[in-house]
Amino acid sequence: MSADQNGVRSVPKGGMLYGEYLMLDPLLSCVEPVTRSLGKEVHDEHLFIITHQAYELWFKQILFELDSVRDLLNKKNVSESNMLVITSRLNRVVLILKLLVDQVSILETMTPLEFMEFRNYLSPASGFQSVQFRLLENKLGVKNELRVNYGKNHYINIFQDPKIINLIKKSEEEPSLCDLIQRWLERTPGLQEEDFNFWEQFKNVVTSMLNEQNKNAEAENDPSIREQMINDVKQKVKTFDTIFDETIHNGLITRGERRFSHKALQGALMISLYRDEPRFNQPFHVLTSLMDIDSLITKWRSNHVQMVLRMIGSHQMGTGGSAGYQYLRSTLSDRYKVFVDLFNLSTFLISKEYLPLLTPKMKKKLSTLTQKQDSDEE
C-alpha cells in the first residue's frame, strides 16, 4: 500500500492485508531501544518504550474523541439528538483512561535496579514533554494560572519546536470542554424566570428546610446537643450562601476553588436533582462521565507518582530537570481537577421531600419535546 505526498493512502485493487491496513511495518519499527544500538541492550528498556508509545496512541484517541464532543457542543443550540453520541464518546474516554490507569502496573514489573541500567540515556527526555498530554489537559480545561510550574519555567517553555508551541497555544485559546459544558448547562430548561425558575424555588425550599432544622435544634432539651445542632445549621446556612450569593461564588472562582459560572452551577444542580426526568437522563450521564474522567486522570497521576517514588525515590531530579517525585506529587491537588464543581454538588443536594414540584408545563417539557422545540434546537 502507498501514500501520496499529502499522506493520503491508496487502496490496491486486490485490497489490503492486515499488516498493510494497520501499517505495522513502520509502527513496529519504532520500538528501538537505545541500549541495543550501543551494543549493550537492557531487556526492560523495550517494555519502557512500548508502554509509553501505547500511552501516546491512546492519548491520540482521547484527543480524537474530545475534539468530536467539543464540535458537537460548540453550537448555539445543542441538538438533543446528539446527546447519546456525546455520552457514548465520553464513556469511551472513561474506558480508555481506566486502561491507562491499569497499564502502570505493567510498567511496575520493572525493578528500580533494572530501570537504573538505562535511565541515564533518557535525559533530558521526560514525560512532561508529551505534547499530546498537554493538549489533552488544555482541551479539557486545565487553567494555566492553576498549574504548578515546571521548575521555574512555565510549562510551554519546555518545548522548542515553533509548530508545537503554536499548537499548544491554539489549544489554550480554543473553547475547552469545560467552557462548552458551562455554556450548555447555562441553557438548562427550567432556569428561565418565565419558565419554572428553578433557582428561586430551590432557594425558597432550602431556606424553609434550614428554618425547620433550626427550630428542631432550639427545641432540643439537652444543652450540649442543642448547641451542636444549632452550630450545624449555622454552618449549613454559610455553605448554601456560597451558591446563593453570586459574589461569594465568584470569589471562590477567583481563588481557584470553583470553575463553573453561577448559571452553569445552577444548571448542573437542577439536572442532578431532577435526573429521573426523561429529558435529563442523558445530561446526568454526561455529568457523571465528566467526573469519571477527572477522577481517572487524578488516579493515573497518583499511580504515576507512586511508581516514580518506587523507581527513583523522593529526592532524585527527573530526567527532564524537574524535581521528580516532589513535582509530580504537587499535581495531585484539586487545582488540576477541571470539573471540581460537579464533585461538590453533593454538598447542596436535598432530599426529595423538599424538592420543588415541577409545574405541569415544566413536567411536560422534561418528559417529551414538541416538534417545534425539537426543530428550534437543530
Side-chain angles (χ1 to χ4, degrees):
M1 187 194 67
S2 61
D4 62 21
Q5 293 181 344
N6 296 320
V8 178
R9 301 169 69 183
S10 59
V11 182
K13 291 182 179 179
M16 292 183 286
L17 298 176
Y18 176 81
E20 292 174 324
Y21 177 73
L22 296 177
M23 301 178 71
L24 292 183
D25 284 343
L27 177 65
L28 299 180
S29 66
C30 292
V31 186
E32 189 60 39
V34 173
T35 54
R36 178 185 295 169
S37 64
L38 296 175
K40 47 182 178 181
E41 183 174 349
V42 176
H43 181 83
D44 280 8
E45 188 186 2
H46 193 278
L47 171 67
F48 187 85
I49 292 172
I50 285 280
T51 303
H52 286 81
Q53 287 179 337
Y55 273 128
E56 292 296 333
L57 284 172
W58 283 122
F59 288 161
K60 186 178 180 68
Q61 185 64 36
I62 291 174
L63 289 171
F64 184 69
E65 302 297 346
L66 288 181
D67 284 342
S68 70
V69 170
R70 286 164 63 237
D71 285 342
L72 291 171
L73 288 170
N74 196 16
K75 302 181 185 302
K76 184 177 180 180
N77 290 300
V78 180
S79 174
E80 304 239 349
S81 62
N82 286 330
M83 291 311 301
L84 182 59
V85 175
I86 292 171
T87 305
S88 176
R89 290 177 184 172
L90 288 177
N91 184 59
R92 182 178 292 165
V93 172
V94 169
L95 293 176
I96 293 172
L97 288 171
K98 286 181 179 179
L99 183 64
L100 298 188
V101 168
D102 290 340
Q103 192 169 288
V104 174
S105 61
I106 301 174
L107 199 55
E108 286 179 333
T109 61
M110 175 177 63
T111 67
L113 191 59
E114 290 164 335
F115 180 48
M116 293 304 296
E117 290 187 59
F118 65 88
R119 182 176 184 257
N120 288 338
Y121 296 112
L122 300 179
S123 184
S126 168
F128 193 86
Q129 298 159 8
S130 171
V131 177
Q132 291 196 118
F133 189 70
R134 298 306 155 202
L135 293 176
L136 191 159
E137 287 182 325
N138 290 342
K139 292 186 179 191
L140 282 174
V142 173
K143 297 290 186 182
N144 282 333
E145 59 268 25
L146 297 179
R147 287 181 182 274
V148 178
N149 284 337
Y150 184 71
K152 295 181 180 180
N153 296 316
H154 186 278
Y155 85 101
I156 204 170
N157 293 336
I158 201 71
F159 303 102
Q160 298 177 351
D161 187 333
K163 291 183 179 179
I164 289 176
I165 293 172
N166 288 335
L167 189 65
I168 293 174
K169 286 183 176 179
K170 182 182 177 184
S171 71
E172 292 177 345
E173 295 164 359
E174 294 173 344
S176 68
L177 181 61
C178 185
D179 295 330
L180 296 170
I181 286 293
Q182 289 182 69
R183 289 187 206 171
W184 169 66
L185 287 171
E186 288 171 355
R187 300 192 295 266
T188 301
L191 297 185
Q192 300 76 15
E193 290 186 9
E194 69 277 7
D195 203 341
F196 178 58
N197 200 351
F198 160 72
W199 199 239
E200 284 303 315
Q201 296 211 44
F202 181 69
K203 284 196 288 187
N204 290 337
V205 296
V206 168
T207 300
S208 298
M209 178 187 75
L210 294 176
N211 286 338
E212 180 181 330
Q213 291 178 5
N214 191 58
K215 287 180 182 178
N216 292 337
E218 291 176 342
E220 171 60 44
N221 293 323
D222 188 312
S224 60
I225 295 177
R226 181 171 61 251
E227 183 179 2
Q228 180 61 50
M229 290 175 68
I230 291 174
N231 288 335
D232 286 346
V233 174
K234 287 180 179 179
Q235 185 56 51
K236 287 181 182 179
V237 171
K238 289 182 180 179
T239 300
F240 274 100
D241 279 346
T242 67
I243 61 171
F244 291 153
D245 188 326
E246 190 171 355
T247 302
I248 297 176
H249 173 79
N250 291 337
L252 291 171
I253 291 177
T254 302
R255 284 170 20 205
E257 295 179 31
R258 287 186 186 165
R259 310 283 189 275
F260 281 7
S261 69
H262 196 235
K263 193 74 173 287
L265 183 68
Q266 295 174 28
L269 188 56
M270 183 176 183
I271 289 170
S272 299
L273 287 168
Y274 295 96
R275 61 186 179 274
D276 292 335
E277 298 300 323
R279 196 174 174 187
F280 281 166
N281 286 170
Q282 289 296 337
F284 178 71
H285 286 300
V286 167
L287 299 186
T288 301
S289 294
L290 295 173
M291 286 190 286
D292 288 341
I293 289 171
D294 244 348
S295 293
L296 286 164
I297 290 178
T298 300
K299 189 173 182 180
W300 179 80
R301 290 183 194 273
S302 178
N303 286 2
H304 186 210
V305 168
Q306 293 305 312
M307 182 188 69
V308 168
L309 178 62
R310 174 179 173 175
M311 291 295 176
I312 67 172
S314 61
H315 293 93
Q316 279 204 58
M317 294 287 288
T319 51
S322 74
Y325 166 76
Q326 301 297 336
Y327 164 75
L328 291 171
R329 189 176 66 172
S330 69
T331 67
L332 297 179
S333 67
D334 280 352
R335 63 199 296 162
Y336 278 88
K337 272 197 176 73
V338 177
F339 301 104
V340 64
D341 302 78
L342 297 179
F343 290 88
N344 291 332
L345 283 183
S346 298
T347 307
F348 308 106
L349 297 181
I350 59 177
S351 62
K352 289 186 177 181
E353 65 178 297
Y354 291 105
L355 203 60
L357 293 176
L358 296 172
T359 61
K361 181 181 177 181
M362 195 66 218
K363 185 77 173 176
K364 182 178 180 181
K365 193 171 187 178
L366 295 183
S367 297
T368 57
L369 288 174
T370 65
Q371 290 184 350
K372 182 179 185 303
Q373 288 170 330
D374 195 35
S375 63
D376 285 345
E377 293 185 358
E378 289 298 327

